[in-house]
Amino acid sequence: MRVTEPQLRTVLLAQAIEHADAGHTLVSAVELQEATRHAVAAARARSVPRVGVAEVMLDRATTIAQHASGRDSTVAALNPQPGHGERGGLAPWVARGLPLAALLLGLAIDRISNAHRVDLLSPPLLTVLAWNVAAYLLIAWRAGRRSVSSPPGAWLQQALRPLGHPLGDFFGQAGRGRGLSARIAADFHRRWWAHAGDLLQQRTACVLHLCAAAWGAGIALSLLLRGLVVRYQFGWESTFLDAAQVHAIVSVLFAPLTLLTGLTPFTLQEIAATQNFAGESGMGGSRWVGMYVGLLLLAVVLPRLALAAWARWREHRWQGHIDPQGPAFDALRASLPGDLVIGLHGPQGEVQVLLGAGLQTPQGDRLGFAEDPAQPVDAVLAWAASPPPPAWQAAPRLALRWDDFGASWVLEPALFDSLDAALPAHHHALARLRAAWVERNEQRFGQALQALAQHLQACAALHSLAPEAAAAQYAQRVQTLEATLRTLHGAPAAPLQRLAPPADPAQRLPLVRRADSTALAVGTSAGAAAGAAAGAKAGALIDVGTGGLTLGAGTALGALLGGTTAWVVRALQKKDEGRQDLLHHAAEVACTHYLVIAHQQRVPPDEAMQLASRWAAEVTGTVAAHGAALASALKNGAPGDEAVQTLLRTMLMGILQRSFADRAAAHRPTSA
């Protein structure tokens, strides 16, 4: 990811603050979390489809740096406003002072070799020219041979490290044992040198080229200014070279100048005339000075200024590189909310159960489900026989059957086990989503238990009414419970059932049906016997289960009310024994309603009758086994008492765990 220099400085400063400030002295843990949340919210406000490290790190780093800068002046100095402050590695006095010093050094040189002589073969002059030519060759060689084994500018990091900040002790390990500000500064500069070596290279190159140009210009100005008060004597002398050889050297030396400017080159006779400094000064000497100054401008000043301008241009175009997938962002990546979309490929009825089940955690994690192949997904949950759509075949596929995770809410954690294995990069987000999913199920289950308890407490008070009035009231209570449970589970409301009082209660009694012999109430013979004794109502309960799981709420409620209202009238005519039977019956109906509504559309139609029969036997036997405890809790408990809810939780969780024992053993929810 490419970032500008201010952005890079801010991100690295935020990392240094988090690393050095382990005690959260400058920025508290709450502020760090708020910075993350605000950055995520800002990214989502920009309609970012997936929020990752790259989308939030800049906004988050800015917030963290602002918090710390407002509390510590040293940190504030490391986080200058755009256009102000230090230049990321080279202090301003270095960038401006060195070229000026080089210019003054060139002006202060009293001679090239002698105060009154200008030697054509002056070793200092030849050294200056040779040094610059060697520098140009080195630059060309480095440009043609870009190293891929080390980052740009790595060779400068150690050599020029003391120039990066007035407090050289802030670098490397020097921050150890010092105060928090020093540790933050040391950590920041260590990170900065690691990320901005190529930027430092361009800035250092610009300064060095300016220094070389200023030095050459200083030497040229020194020759011109000193010529105002000094009479130069031009010439040469050598023990081993003759005039012809010196002429050849001078011709090569001044060839670029004579070719570009059209100046007349030195002749052999002119060279021979100046041997042993025998030449005359005056107007002839000014020509020699002009040639020297022109050579310095052409070979030193102008090329160096061009190279400095090139380095400056590259500096302005420079952008830093940050790897959002790198280990430096592991902690941030773990804390970021996940935006996960899971594709669904299965029967339409079962798909609808999950389409509306998406959720969002308090930390901002979002889990959604999609059935449209045009929507990008992170993984595909496919339990149909046909392959997923072609657009989804590249995504990880979860090998789960519907019975493994969708048949009941107690199995749903198995979905997150598969997601965690398929999407390891989202482990932390999936852990938070799993916890939120389980918490939502537990909260819904608790609200259902509260509704069931209130319903049973209201039914327990019906014995004070006349049998016919109690039966009508009971029918209304069942309808109210039905509506409450359906609203709680997001199911459509059932149509109201208008039932007339039974003309002949004996004719309205439900038929007796045998309970499923494979279903045991609580695993005891007493529970089984009690279930058989209560079998007169099993047929109605089976009708409720089958109707609710397959035909819908209206059929289920109609079957129940039509088959049991008359029984309520007859039961209440038995006084105390009838009251006990009514409480048992009300508990059976309430538990059956919960099981049916909580699993509507989850059970395949060909399994509905078998499951309804099983639940009828389970509910009948379980209520019979816990009847005494339930009656005592209803008799002694006040409205809102949790004793009834706790007992109902035990009863329903027992039924659910036995119904899905093979699949729910590893995903049993924690009881409240």
Side-chain angles (χ1 to χ4, degrees), residues 331-343:
L332 174 58
R333 189 177 301 108
S335 65
L336 279 182
D339 281 314
L340 301 178
V341 178
I342 308 302

Side-chain angles (χ1 to χ4, degrees), residues 146-192:
R146 292 290 184 185
S147 174
V148 297
S149 60
S150 60
W155 63 278
L156 288 173
Q157 293 187 16
Q158 295 297 327
L160 297 178
R161 186 173 295 240
L163 300 179
H165 195 281
L167 301 177
D169 288 343
F170 277 1
F171 291 95
Q173 304 298 321
R176 288 185 176 179
R178 294 177 175 266
L180 177 60
S181 301
R183 295 198 304 272
I184 291 175
D187 191 272
F188 167 75
H189 283 98
R190 177 180 60 82
R191 296 173 187 272
W192 176 256

Side-chain angles (χ1 to χ4, degrees), residues 87-470:
R87 299 177 61 218
L90 287 178
W93 65 268
V94 176
R96 302 187 185 110
L98 286 181
L100 180 59
L103 177 63
L104 296 177
L105 180 63
L107 284 171
I109 294 179
D110 291 331
R111 60 179 182 269
I112 292 296
S113 64
N114 185 282
H116 296 274
R117 291 184 177 184
V118 178
D119 192 348
L120 290 178
L121 302 179
S122 170
L125 176 63
L126 295 178
T127 300
V128 170
L129 295 176
W131 168 55
N132 281 275
V133 171
Y136 302 150
L137 293 176
L138 178 62
I139 292 172
W141 177 77
R142 288 178 60 86
R145 184 180 176 273
R146 292 290 184 185
S147 174
V148 297
S149 60
S150 60
W155 63 278
L156 288 173
Q157 293 187 16
Q158 295 297 327
L160 297 178
R161 186 173 295 240
L163 300 179
H165 195 281
L167 301 177
D169 288 343
F170 277 1
F171 291 95
Q173 304 298 321
R176 288 185 176 179
R178 294 177 175 266
L180 177 60
S181 301
R183 295 198 304 272
I184 291 175
D187 191 272
F188 167 75
H189 283 98
R190 177 180 60 82
R191 296 173 187 272
W192 176 256
W193 283 90
H195 284 80
D198 47 349
L199 174 63
L200 175 64
Q201 179 183 8
Q202 298 306 322
R203 287 180 172 166
T204 304
C206 180
V207 172
L208 292 179
H209 289 314
L210 288 177
C211 289
W215 190 15
I219 294 174
L221 288 175
S222 176
L223 286 172
L224 293 174
L225 294 177
R226 198 165 59 249
L228 296 176
V229 295
V230 173
R231 180 177 178 273
Y232 289 125
Q233 186 74 28
F234 285 86
W236 60 277
E237 57 185 4
S238 175
T239 301
F240 302 104
L241 300 177
D242 56 20
Q245 292 171 326
V246 172
H247 177 261
I249 294 174
V250 171
S251 297
V252 172
L253 192 63
F254 289 96
L257 180 65
T258 57
L259 290 175
L260 292 176
T261 62
L263 296 176
T264 303
F266 295 114
T267 64
L268 178 59
Q269 292 76 13
E270 292 173 326
I271 296 298
T274 59
Q275 187 174 8
N276 298 323
F277 294 92
E280 298 182 356
S281 59
M283 295 301 296
S286 64
R287 178 189 174 201
W288 291 89
V289 172
M291 295 289 281
Y292 267 103
V293 171
L295 181 60
L296 288 171
L297 289 176
L298 185 62
V300 179
V301 178
L302 294 180
R304 291 291 191 166
L305 289 177
L307 290 172
W310 170 254
R312 185 68 173 173
W313 179 75
R314 293 188 63 186
E315 174 191 337
H316 278 288
R317 292 194 59 200
W318 179 87
Q319 286 186 320
H321 177 265
I322 294 180
D323 182 12
Q325 304 303 320
F329 295 98
D330 285 346
L332 174 58
R333 189 177 301 108
S335 65
L336 279 182
D339 281 314
L340 301 178
V341 178
I342 308 302
L344 301 177
H345 182 63
Q348 186 63 27
E350 297 170 354
V351 166
Q352 293 300 319
V353 174
L354 289 178
L355 277 180
L359 81 162
Q360 180 170 336
T361 68
Q363 295 82 8
D365 305 281
R366 295 190 298 192
L367 175 64
F369 299 92
E371 62 174 341
D372 184 3
Q375 183 173 354
V377 296
D378 297 280
V380 178
L381 180 57
W383 64 96
S386 59
W392 287 357
Q393 291 183 359
R397 182 174 178 179
L398 307 183
L400 280 177
R401 300 177 307 161
W402 178 256
D403 288 345
D404 294 333
F405 72 96
S408 174
W409 62 268
V410 298
L411 301 175
E412 289 173 345
L415 172 61
F416 290 90
D417 292 340
S418 296
L419 286 175
D420 196 37
L423 303 172
H426 299 278
H427 169 74
H428 297 280
L430 285 171
R432 293 190 293 268
L433 286 166
R434 178 191 181 116
W437 188 286
V438 172
E439 180 182 2
R440 183 177 66 178
N441 283 344
E442 282 291 318
Q443 183 179 12
R444 184 187 295 123
F445 186 43
Q447 292 172 343
L449 292 174
Q450 184 179 9
L452 294 176
Q454 292 174 351
H455 170 75
L456 293 180
Q457 287 169 338
C459 291
L462 293 178
H463 70 280
S464 61
L465 302 178
E468 291 77 7

